[in-house]
């Protein structure tokens, strides 16, 4: 029987049970939980008729041969890692829909003029090492040797995490396929925003993905007695950081960009101690890289003003940078055709404010994305993330139709396997 939306949703639930936190869902790159979901994904890939392997960066891969064995491949994928206390569809839905598309081809015995490879990327979110898209950057061939020294919260380096996962750091380049062995990349993902819900549509074509930069920031002042130090003698790092947080929001909003301080910690953290140091994060996004970089310059200027007024020191360390990318018109047209085949004759086109593996894959090959509505106002990076089974069903049909459309009018059939 062809897999349907309920199978996909059941598999999302199975993956959601694999978490490092007792309650909620947290699963990071190169963790035991990552290994477990790779095994689960590999099992479903095999069930769908694929040969499977773990690649040199810990991504789980599967290949369904085309009519001619060894033909270049259309890549389908998304990620299996999560943010802390995540929802169960961000990334996973795209992986499982991709597997289900292949399973449908296999059930019908359809072999396309190209192979289809599914990639379950191991790191898109950057939760463990700060730098995002590690799995997809390995596949894109844009791995940066400077990343080996990145440390997780426990002080484990990326290099040591590779070895502990059974990977050879020296072989990471093997994760990247030769360019002429791929013909494009398609990703289905929940929208992670409210626009589809507001427009009462299930699906959209993605036009482009926002460029992102992430920073680790510090504000340094002087710790002191909360009772003894009068205001005019204070160098309160938290009061200064708070000014910067509000400047981030104001500057980004005025410029039409998106900026978030998602983490902030004051030290030494005593109720009766003036904070001497604050560490905080910044995530900055925009449709156009120039605008995003102007916003960062304005934030730095605002922080300098705060420091001059309060006698503080501000530092910024960039941990992640990914340029804005534009979908391939040819592949986006195929996605549009896939949506049209489900009865939505004028599909919406959306610009993605969220980052996706497609951003990294842009360096390897053409890409396009299909967005699926998520409910509750589009809430995501939150346990309340939700999708409707009917939307998943129509997304599966549209995704399958997109893949078939790229094959041209008459894919050959070799009988059920
Ligand atoms: C990934 O979900 C991101 O946009 O940060
Ligand atoms: Mn995410
Ligand atoms: Mn995602």
């Amino acid at each position: 029987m062809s897999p349907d939306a309920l199978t996909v949703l059941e598999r999302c639930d199975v993956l959601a049970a694999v978490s490092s936190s007792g309650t909620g869902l947290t699963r990071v790159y190169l963790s035991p939980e990552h290994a477990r979901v790779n095994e689960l994904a590999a099992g479903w890939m095999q069930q769908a008729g694929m040969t499977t392997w773990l690649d040199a960066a810990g991504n789980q891969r599967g290949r369904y041969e085309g009519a001619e064995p060894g033909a270049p491949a259309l890549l389908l994928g998304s990620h299996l890692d999560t943010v802390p206390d995540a929802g169960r569809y961000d990334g996973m839905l795209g992986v499982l829909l991709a597997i289900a598309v292949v399973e449908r081809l296999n059930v019908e015995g359809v072999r396309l003029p190209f192979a289809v490879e599914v990639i379950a990327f191991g790191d898109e979110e950057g939760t463990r090492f700060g730098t995002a898209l590690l799995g997809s950057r390995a596949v894109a061939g844009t791995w940066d040797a400077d990343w080996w020294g990145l440390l997780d919260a426990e002080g484990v380096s990326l290099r040591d995490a590779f070895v502990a996962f059974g990977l050879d750091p020296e072989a990471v380049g093997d994760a990247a396929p030769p360019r002429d062995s791929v013909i494009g990349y398609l990703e289905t993902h929940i929208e992670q925003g409210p626009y589809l819900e507001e427009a009462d549509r299930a699906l959209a074509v993605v036009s482009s993905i926002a460029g992102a930069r992430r920073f680790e920031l510090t504000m340094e002042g002087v710790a002191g007695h909360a009772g003894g130090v009068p205001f005019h003698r204070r160098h309160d790092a938290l009061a200064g950081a708070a000014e910067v947080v509000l400047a981030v929001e104001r500057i980004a909003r005025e410029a039409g960009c998106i900026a978030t301080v998602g983490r902030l910690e004051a030290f030494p953290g005593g109720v009766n101690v003036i904070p001497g140091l604050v560490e905080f994060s910044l995530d900055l996004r925009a449709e156009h890289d120039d605008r995003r970089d102007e916003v960062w310059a304005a934030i730095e200027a605002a922080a300098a003003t705060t420091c001059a007024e309060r006698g503080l020191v501000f530092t910024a360390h960039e941990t992640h940078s990914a340029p804005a990318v534009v979908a391939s018109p040819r592949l986006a047209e195929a996605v549009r055709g896939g949506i049209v085949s489900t009865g939505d004759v004028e599909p919406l086109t959306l610009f993605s404010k969220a980052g996706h593996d497609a951003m990294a894959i842009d360096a390897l090959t053409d890409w396009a994305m299909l967005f699926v509505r998520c409910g509750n106002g589009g809430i995501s990076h939150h346990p309340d993330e939700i999708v409707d089974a009917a939307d998943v069903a129509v997304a599966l049909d549209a995704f399958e139709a997109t893949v078939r459309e790229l094959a041209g009018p008459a894919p050959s059939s070799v009988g059920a396997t």
Side-chain angles (χ1 to χ4, degrees):
M1 204 182 77
S2 289
D4 56 15
L6 292 180
T7 310
V8 169
L9 290 171
E10 274 165 26
R11 290 174 178 176
C12 286
D13 293 344
V14 171
L15 294 180
V18 185
S19 170
S20 62
S21 51
T23 57
L25 169 56
T26 303
R27 193 169 53 235
V28 300
Y29 188 38
L30 304 178
S31 60
E33 296 74 34
H34 177 195
R36 176 69 192 128
V37 292
N38 275 350
E39 275 169 25
L40 288 163
W44 294 321
M45 287 172 175
Q46 287 157 15
Q47 200 175 312
M50 286 180 261
T51 52
T52 60
W53 69 101
L54 187 73
D55 78 13
N59 302 303
Q60 181 61 51
R61 317 262 290 247
R63 180 176 169 98
Y64 181 74
E65 287 294 350
E68 298 290 337
L74 176 67
L75 310 180
L76 312 181
S78 196
H79 59 98
L80 294 180
D81 67 314
T82 75
V83 294
D85 203 17
R88 62 186 54 195
Y89 303 107
D90 173 3
M92 285 69 82
L93 183 70
V95 172
L96 297 172
L97 282 170
I99 294 172
V101 166
V102 175
E103 197 163 352
R104 282 185 166 187
L105 297 176
N106 188 47
V107 165
E108 282 187 41
V110 173
R111 296 285 168 179
L112 302 173
F114 44 79
V116 181
E117 284 188 13
V118 176
I119 312 183
F121 292 108
D123 176 71
E124 183 263 357
E125 305 283 8
T127 306
R128 182 167 180 190
F129 291 103
T131 292
L133 302 166
L134 292 173
S136 35
R137 283 169 151 173
V139 172
T142 54
W143 189 269
D144 184 339
D146 286 350
W147 295 335
W148 289 121
L150 292 171
L151 300 178
D152 72 6
E154 268 72 53
V156 178
S157 71
L158 179 54
R159 178 179 289 277
D160 288 346
F162 253 60
V163 173
F165 202 73
L167 300 170
D168 173 7
E170 306 316 317
V172 69
D174 295 350
R179 275 169 191 272
D180 60 0
S181 71
V182 296
I183 61 167
Y185 171 75
L186 298 177
E187 178 168 356
T188 300
H189 204 285
I190 54 169
E191 181 208 333
Q192 306 181 279
Y195 297 102
L196 279 171
E197 194 175 59
E198 282 173 6
D200 197 20
R201 303 287 190 93
L203 304 175
V205 188
V206 174
S207 56
S208 60
I209 306 176
R213 294 176 74 178
R214 292 184 188 167
F215 300 86
E216 292 296 341
L217 309 176
T218 64
M219 188 63 86
E220 200 178 340
V222 181
H225 197 289
V229 186
F231 281 120
H232 72 276
R233 298 184 69 114
R234 288 188 183 203
H235 303 284
D236 183 330
L238 182 52
E243 277 187 16
V244 174
V245 172
L246 291 176
V248 162
E249 187 184 53
R250 177 179 47 76
I251 293 166
R253 182 180 284 193
E254 286 170 5
C257 294
I258 311 163
T260 306
V261 175
R263 192 173 44 72
L264 184 150
E265 199 172 354
F267 300 92
V271 67
N272 55 353
V273 185
I274 297 164
L277 175 71
V278 173
E279 293 177 353
F280 54 126
S281 62
L282 174 64
D283 175 301
L284 188 56
R285 301 163 190 237
E287 189 167 10
H288 302 288
D289 295 341
D290 294 354
R291 176 60 65 88
R292 183 201 59 188
D293 296 345
E294 283 163 19
V295 165
W296 169 240
I299 291 169
E300 278 189 300
T305 303
T306 292
C307 288
E309 287 170 2
R310 292 178 169 271
L312 302 169
V313 177
F314 176 75
T315 65
H317 170 62
E318 185 161 11
T319 55
H320 171 69
S321 174
V325 292
V326 177
S328 134
R330 175 181 64 91
L331 294 181
E333 200 42 46
V335 172
R336 183 181 312 282
I339 299 175
V340 168
S341 77
T342 65
D344 178 355
V345 291
E346 268 191 57
L348 280 187
T349 298
L350 292 178
F351 142 61
S352 176
K353 289 95 186 160
H356 301 292
D357 293 296
M359 297 175 91
I361 297 300
D362 184 78
L364 172 72
T365 188
D366 288 351
W367 62 272
M369 287 187 69
L370 172 68
F371 262 178
V372 185
R373 167 170 53 192
C374 47
N376 279 343
I379 193 165
S380 182
H381 285 185
H382 189 283
D384 289 351
E385 198 171 85
I386 191 151
V387 289
D388 193 277
D391 290 353
V392 174
V394 81
L396 177 53
D397 289 346
F399 203 16
E400 180 189 3
T402 303
V403 171
R404 286 180 181 248
E405 181 156 324
L406 288 170
S412 63
S413 171
V414 294
T417 54

